[in-house]
Amino acid sequence: MEFQHDKSWEKLLTILNSKKNIEEAWNNFIDFHEQIAAKSYWTLLRELDIQKEQSAIKEWLEQIITTSPITENVAALWIGITKMPHETDHEIPIVYLAGADTYDKDDIEWACNPTYLPENRYACFDVLMQLDKVIKNDEENYEFLDWIFPLAYCAFTLDEIIRLKLNKKLFLKNTQNLFVATGYDSGDY
């Protein structure tokens, strides 16, 4: 069988909306894809230390907001996923934090005009780097895997951090609520 973008997207949303912890969400997502195609790398993806990295991501987010407080006009935060050139002559996956003074859950254009661009907004998550190394070995499915798995990882881990671990007072100093989205600069979120 082949992977289907729409089915994988639906599964990602179903798992995300279930509010499962990161390990359960990640393993459920892998299980879904493993049922479609038996691959040797599923075990490697399950072995990624996703729980350990959450502390570093939480600290990164809180450090940014502490040193560059969110301004009053910011209505939403965008945690973008992209690839950047690295000194090794390879592209590496990175994430960054930006904010916008508008938000529309049905139209991501709000994220294209950031009004909040804090210092040290870029981060390189170890899990994304390891994930990229593992999936690159599947040349036939790399484009699909490189789309859905980094997005799923970021969505699941950020969801858990924001819901359960983040110091929300740092983020809500100037507002009662703040929307947060993650996705690719090129579209999917």
Side-chain angles (χ1 to χ4, degrees), residues 115-137:
T115 56
Y116 172 71
L117 292 168
E119 295 282 330
N120 300 318
R121 66 183 165 270
Y122 294 98
C124 185
F125 296 172
D126 287 339
V127 169
L128 287 180
M129 295 280 291
Q130 294 168 26
L131 172 62
D132 192 54
K133 285 180 185 177
V134 170
I135 63 177
K136 274 186 178 169
N137 293 321

PDB file of all heavy atoms in Angstrom, residues 115-137:
ATOM      1  N   THR A 115       4.556  40.642  13.317  1.00  0.00           N
ATOM      2  CA  THR A 115       4.836  41.923  13.971  1.00  0.00           C
ATOM      3  C   THR A 115       5.735  41.703  15.185  1.00  0.00           C
ATOM      4  O   THR A 115       6.190  42.666  15.788  1.00  0.00           O
ATOM      5  CB  THR A 115       3.526  42.606  14.412  1.00  0.00           C
ATOM      6  OG1 THR A 115       2.798  41.705  15.253  1.00  0.00           O
ATOM      7  CG2 THR A 115       2.672  42.978  13.211  1.00  0.00           C
ATOM      8  N   TYR A 116       5.956  40.453  15.524  1.00  0.00           N
ATOM      9  CA  TYR A 116       6.800  40.095  16.659  1.00  0.00           C
ATOM     10  C   TYR A 116       7.856  39.111  16.162  1.00  0.00           C
ATOM     11  O   TYR A 116       7.539  37.989  15.770  1.00  0.00           O
ATOM     12  CB  TYR A 116       5.935  39.469  17.763  1.00  0.00           C
ATOM     13  CG  TYR A 116       6.705  38.890  18.922  1.00  0.00           C
ATOM     14  CD1 TYR A 116       7.355  39.715  19.839  1.00  0.00           C
ATOM     15  CD2 TYR A 116       6.770  37.514  19.111  1.00  0.00           C
ATOM     16  CE1 TYR A 116       8.051  39.179  20.911  1.00  0.00           C
ATOM     17  CE2 TYR A 116       7.465  36.974  20.186  1.00  0.00           C
ATOM     18  CZ  TYR A 116       8.108  37.807  21.083  1.00  0.00           C
ATOM     19  OH  TYR A 116       8.792  37.267  22.141  1.00  0.00           O
ATOM     20  N   LEU A 117       9.095  39.571  16.123  1.00  0.00           N
ATOM     21  CA  LEU A 117      10.223  38.744  15.696  1.00  0.00           C
ATOM     22  C   LEU A 117      11.306  38.843  16.766  1.00  0.00           C
ATOM     23  O   LEU A 117      12.206  39.678  16.683  1.00  0.00           O
ATOM     24  CB  LEU A 117      10.762  39.212  14.348  1.00  0.00           C
ATOM     25  CG  LEU A 117       9.831  39.000  13.160  1.00  0.00           C
ATOM     26  CD1 LEU A 117      10.329  39.758  11.932  1.00  0.00           C
ATOM     27  CD2 LEU A 117       9.703  37.523  12.860  1.00  0.00           C
ATOM     28  N   PRO A 118      11.211  37.997  17.780  1.00  0.00           N
ATOM     29  CA  PRO A 118      12.138  38.103  18.909  1.00  0.00           C
ATOM     30  C   PRO A 118      13.564  37.667  18.572  1.00  0.00           C
ATOM     31  O   PRO A 118      13.798  36.929  17.625  1.00  0.00           O
ATOM     32  CB  PRO A 118      11.521  37.162  19.940  1.00  0.00           C
ATOM     33  CG  PRO A 118      10.778  36.156  19.133  1.00  0.00           C
ATOM     34  CD  PRO A 118      10.259  36.901  17.933  1.00  0.00           C
ATOM     35  N   GLU A 119      14.490  38.148  19.390  1.00  0.00           N
ATOM     36  CA  GLU A 119      15.879  37.689  19.312  1.00  0.00           C
ATOM     37  C   GLU A 119      15.883  36.191  19.613  1.00  0.00           C
ATOM     38  O   GLU A 119      15.026  35.691  20.327  1.00  0.00           O
ATOM     39  CB  GLU A 119      16.725  38.410  20.361  1.00  0.00           C
ATOM     40  CG  GLU A 119      16.847  39.898  20.148  1.00  0.00           C
ATOM     41  CD  GLU A 119      17.845  40.254  19.056  1.00  0.00           C
ATOM     42  OE1 GLU A 119      18.818  39.498  18.869  1.00  0.00           O
ATOM     43  OE2 GLU A 119      17.632  41.277  18.407  1.00  0.00           O
ATOM     44  N   ASN A 120      16.853  35.492  19.091  1.00  0.00           N
ATOM     45  CA  ASN A 120      17.020  34.052  19.367  1.00  0.00           C
ATOM     46  C   ASN A 120      15.770  33.243  19.061  1.00  0.00           C
ATOM     47  O   ASN A 120      15.449  32.290  19.765  1.00  0.00           O
ATOM     48  CB  ASN A 120      17.458  33.825  20.822  1.00  0.00           C
ATOM     49  CG  ASN A 120      18.769  34.508  21.111  1.00  0.00           C
ATOM     50  OD1 ASN A 120      19.681  34.468  20.299  1.00  0.00           O
ATOM     51  ND2 ASN A 120      18.843  35.166  22.249  1.00  0.00           N
ATOM     52  N   ARG A 121      15.070  33.618  18.016  1.00  0.00           N
ATOM     53  CA  ARG A 121      13.812  32.950  17.679  1.00  0.00           C
ATOM     54  C   ARG A 121      13.996  31.598  16.985  1.00  0.00           C
ATOM     55  O   ARG A 121      13.053  30.854  16.830  1.00  0.00           O
ATOM     56  CB  ARG A 121      12.932  33.854  16.830  1.00  0.00           C
ATOM     57  CG  ARG A 121      13.475  34.182  15.452  1.00  0.00           C
ATOM     58  CD  ARG A 121      12.546  35.145  14.713  1.00  0.00           C
ATOM     59  NE  ARG A 121      13.159  35.741  13.568  1.00  0.00           N
ATOM     60  CZ  ARG A 121      13.834  36.879  13.585  1.00  0.00           C
ATOM     61  NH1 ARG A 121      14.001  37.530  14.711  1.00  0.00           N
ATOM     62  NH2 ARG A 121      14.354  37.369  12.482  1.00  0.00           N
ATOM     63  N   TYR A 122      15.212  31.283  16.571  1.00  0.00           N
ATOM     64  CA  TYR A 122      15.461  30.024  15.867  1.00  0.00           C
ATOM     65  C   TYR A 122      15.969  28.953  16.826  1.00  0.00           C
ATOM     66  O   TYR A 122      16.726  29.241  17.751  1.00  0.00           O
ATOM     67  CB  TYR A 122      16.495  30.229  14.755  1.00  0.00           C
ATOM     68  CG  TYR A 122      15.992  31.127  13.654  1.00  0.00           C
ATOM     69  CD1 TYR A 122      16.334  32.470  13.622  1.00  0.00           C
ATOM     70  CD2 TYR A 122      15.164  30.622  12.657  1.00  0.00           C
ATOM     71  CE1 TYR A 122      15.865  33.302  12.616  1.00  0.00           C
ATOM     72  CE2 TYR A 122      14.690  31.448  11.649  1.00  0.00           C
ATOM     73  CZ  TYR A 122      15.044  32.788  11.642  1.00  0.00           C
ATOM     74  OH  TYR A 122      14.570  33.597  10.646  1.00  0.00           O
ATOM     75  N   ALA A 123      15.540  27.719  16.580  1.00  0.00           N
ATOM     76  CA  ALA A 123      16.014  26.583  17.379  1.00  0.00           C
ATOM     77  C   ALA A 123      16.128  25.361  16.482  1.00  0.00           C
ATOM     78  O   ALA A 123      15.397  25.217  15.495  1.00  0.00           O
ATOM     79  CB  ALA A 123      15.056  26.292  18.528  1.00  0.00           C
ATOM     80  N   CYS A 124      17.028  24.508  16.862  1.00  0.00           N
ATOM     81  CA  CYS A 124      17.211  23.246  16.159  1.00  0.00           C
ATOM     82  C   CYS A 124      16.876  22.140  17.148  1.00  0.00           C
ATOM     83  O   CYS A 124      17.592  21.950  18.123  1.00  0.00           O
ATOM     84  CB  CYS A 124      18.655  23.146  15.681  1.00  0.00           C
ATOM     85  SG  CYS A 124      18.964  21.704  14.683  1.00  0.00           S
ATOM     86  N   PHE A 125      15.759  21.467  16.940  1.00  0.00           N
ATOM     87  CA  PHE A 125      15.338  20.388  17.823  1.00  0.00           C
ATOM     88  C   PHE A 125      16.078  19.115  17.454  1.00  0.00           C
ATOM     89  O   PHE A 125      16.090  18.702  16.292  1.00  0.00           O
ATOM     90  CB  PHE A 125      13.830  20.136  17.707  1.00  0.00           C
ATOM     91  CG  PHE A 125      12.931  21.254  18.147  1.00  0.00           C
ATOM     92  CD1 PHE A 125      11.571  21.164  17.924  1.00  0.00           C
ATOM     93  CD2 PHE A 125      13.404  22.383  18.789  1.00  0.00           C
ATOM     94  CE1 PHE A 125      10.705  22.171  18.321  1.00  0.00           C
ATOM     95  CE2 PHE A 125      12.552  23.403  19.191  1.00  0.00           C
ATOM     96  CZ  PHE A 125      11.200  23.298  18.958  1.00  0.00           C
ATOM     97  N   ASP A 126      16.674  18.468  18.451  1.00  0.00           N
ATOM     98  CA  ASP A 126      17.416  17.225  18.211  1.00  0.00           C
ATOM     99  C   ASP A 126      16.548  16.159  17.554  1.00  0.00           C
ATOM    100  O   ASP A 126      16.996  15.443  16.659  1.00  0.00           O
ATOM    101  CB  ASP A 126      17.987  16.669  19.522  1.00  0.00           C
ATOM    102  CG  ASP A 126      19.166  17.486  20.026  1.00  0.00           C
ATOM    103  OD1 ASP A 126      19.790  18.207  19.231  1.00  0.00           O
ATOM    104  OD2 ASP A 126      19.460  17.384  21.231  1.00  0.00           O
ATOM    105  N   VAL A 127      15.309  16.047  18.008  1.00  0.00           N
ATOM    106  CA  VAL A 127      14.429  15.012  17.448  1.00  0.00           C
ATOM    107  C   VAL A 127      14.186  15.255  15.964  1.00  0.00           C
ATOM    108  O   VAL A 127      14.178  14.314  15.171  1.00  0.00           O
ATOM    109  CB  VAL A 127      13.106  14.908  18.236  1.00  0.00           C
ATOM    110  CG1 VAL A 127      12.099  14.028  17.507  1.00  0.00           C
ATOM    111  CG2 VAL A 127      13.362  14.354  19.637  1.00  0.00           C
ATOM    112  N   LEU A 128      14.009  16.503  15.565  1.00  0.00           N
ATOM    113  CA  LEU A 128      13.813  16.790  14.136  1.00  0.00           C
ATOM    114  C   LEU A 128      15.055  16.411  13.330  1.00  0.00           C
ATOM    115  O   LEU A 128      14.932  15.898  12.218  1.00  0.00           O
ATOM    116  CB  LEU A 128      13.469  18.263  13.914  1.00  0.00           C
ATOM    117  CG  LEU A 128      12.078  18.711  14.321  1.00  0.00           C
ATOM    118  CD1 LEU A 128      11.895  20.202  14.035  1.00  0.00           C
ATOM    119  CD2 LEU A 128      10.997  17.895  13.626  1.00  0.00           C
ATOM    120  N   MET A 129      16.228  16.666  13.886  1.00  0.00           N
ATOM    121  CA  MET A 129      17.470  16.294  13.195  1.00  0.00           C
ATOM    122  C   MET A 129      17.567  14.773  13.049  1.00  0.00           C
ATOM    123  O   MET A 129      17.884  14.258  11.981  1.00  0.00           O
ATOM    124  CB  MET A 129      18.681  16.809  13.981  1.00  0.00           C
ATOM    125  CG  MET A 129      18.770  18.308  14.062  1.00  0.00           C
ATOM    126  SD  MET A 129      19.437  19.047  12.587  1.00  0.00           S
ATOM    127  CE  MET A 129      21.121  18.504  12.688  1.00  0.00           C
ATOM    128  N   GLN A 130      17.297  14.050  14.139  1.00  0.00           N
ATOM    129  CA  GLN A 130      17.362  12.590  14.108  1.00  0.00           C
ATOM    130  C   GLN A 130      16.286  12.015  13.184  1.00  0.00           C
ATOM    131  O   GLN A 130      16.546  11.074  12.428  1.00  0.00           O
ATOM    132  CB  GLN A 130      17.210  12.029  15.517  1.00  0.00           C
ATOM    133  CG  GLN A 130      18.346  12.389  16.428  1.00  0.00           C
ATOM    134  CD  GLN A 130      18.044  12.065  17.879  1.00  0.00           C
ATOM    135  OE1 GLN A 130      17.243  11.188  18.183  1.00  0.00           O
ATOM    136  NE2 GLN A 130      18.690  12.779  18.796  1.00  0.00           N
ATOM    137  N   LEU A 131      15.109  12.583  13.246  1.00  0.00           N
ATOM    138  CA  LEU A 131      14.005  12.162  12.385  1.00  0.00           C
ATOM    139  C   LEU A 131      14.392  12.318  10.921  1.00  0.00           C
ATOM    140  O   LEU A 131      14.198  11.405  10.108  1.00  0.00           O
ATOM    141  CB  LEU A 131      12.764  12.991  12.713  1.00  0.00           C
ATOM    142  CG  LEU A 131      11.536  12.859  11.830  1.00  0.00           C
ATOM    143  CD1 LEU A 131      10.992  11.446  11.854  1.00  0.00           C
ATOM    144  CD2 LEU A 131      10.461  13.836  12.298  1.00  0.00           C
ATOM    145  N   ASP A 132      14.975  13.441  10.586  1.00  0.00           N
ATOM    146  CA  ASP A 132      15.391  13.704   9.216  1.00  0.00           C
ATOM    147  C   ASP A 132      16.410  12.667   8.742  1.00  0.00           C
ATOM    148  O   ASP A 132      16.321  12.160   7.624  1.00  0.00           O
ATOM    149  CB  ASP A 132      15.961  15.118   9.106  1.00  0.00           C
ATOM    150  CG  ASP A 132      16.135  15.566   7.669  1.00  0.00           C
ATOM    151  OD1 ASP A 132      15.155  15.508   6.900  1.00  0.00           O
ATOM    152  OD2 ASP A 132      17.264  15.970   7.311  1.00  0.00           O
ATOM    153  N   LYS A 133      17.364  12.325   9.595  1.00  0.00           N
ATOM    154  CA  LYS A 133      18.378  11.319   9.243  1.00  0.00           C
ATOM    155  C   LYS A 133      17.742   9.956   8.964  1.00  0.00           C
ATOM    156  O   LYS A 133      18.133   9.253   8.039  1.00  0.00           O
ATOM    157  CB  LYS A 133      19.414  11.181  10.349  1.00  0.00           C
ATOM    158  CG  LYS A 133      20.388  12.316  10.421  1.00  0.00           C
ATOM    159  CD  LYS A 133      21.387  12.100  11.543  1.00  0.00           C
ATOM    160  CE  LYS A 133      22.295  13.304  11.683  1.00  0.00           C
ATOM    161  NZ  LYS A 133      23.219  13.150  12.815  1.00  0.00           N
ATOM    162  N   VAL A 134      16.776   9.589   9.784  1.00  0.00           N
ATOM    163  CA  VAL A 134      16.122   8.280   9.633  1.00  0.00           C
ATOM    164  C   VAL A 134      15.307   8.216   8.350  1.00  0.00           C
ATOM    165  O   VAL A 134      15.433   7.273   7.564  1.00  0.00           O
ATOM    166  CB  VAL A 134      15.233   7.959  10.860  1.00  0.00           C
ATOM    167  CG1 VAL A 134      14.371   6.725  10.605  1.00  0.00           C
ATOM    168  CG2 VAL A 134      16.095   7.772  12.107  1.00  0.00           C
ATOM    169  N   ILE A 135      14.472   9.229   8.106  1.00  0.00           N
ATOM    170  CA  ILE A 135      13.558   9.143   6.959  1.00  0.00           C
ATOM    171  C   ILE A 135      14.256   9.378   5.621  1.00  0.00           C
ATOM    172  O   ILE A 135      13.745   8.962   4.586  1.00  0.00           O
ATOM    173  CB  ILE A 135      12.329  10.066   7.126  1.00  0.00           C
ATOM    174  CG1 ILE A 135      12.739  11.531   7.197  1.00  0.00           C
ATOM    175  CG2 ILE A 135      11.511   9.639   8.331  1.00  0.00           C
ATOM    176  CD1 ILE A 135      11.574  12.509   7.285  1.00  0.00           C
ATOM    177  N   LYS A 136      15.418  10.012   5.633  1.00  0.00           N
ATOM    178  CA  LYS A 136      16.163  10.222   4.385  1.00  0.00           C
ATOM    179  C   LYS A 136      16.538   8.902   3.722  1.00  0.00           C
ATOM    180  O   LYS A 136      16.762   8.859   2.517  1.00  0.00           O
ATOM    181  CB  LYS A 136      17.428  11.041   4.637  1.00  0.00           C
ATOM    182  CG  LYS A 136      17.195  12.510   4.595  1.00  0.00           C
ATOM    183  CD  LYS A 136      18.480  13.274   4.711  1.00  0.00           C
ATOM    184  CE  LYS A 136      18.157  14.761   4.605  1.00  0.00           C
ATOM    185  NZ  LYS A 136      19.268  15.600   4.950  1.00  0.00           N
ATOM    186  N   ASN A 137      16.606   7.839   4.502  1.00  0.00           N
ATOM    187  CA  ASN A 137      16.958   6.531   3.953  1.00  0.00           C
ATOM    188  C   ASN A 137      15.850   5.930   3.095  1.00  0.00           C
ATOM    189  O   ASN A 137      16.101   4.980   2.360  1.00  0.00           O
ATOM    190  CB  ASN A 137      17.328   5.570   5.088  1.00  0.00           C
ATOM    191  CG  ASN A 137      18.603   6.000   5.775  1.00  0.00           C
ATOM    192  OD1 ASN A 137      19.544   6.447   5.133  1.00  0.00           O
ATOM    193  ND2 ASN A 137      18.626   5.897   7.090  1.00  0.00           N
TER     194      ASN A 137
END
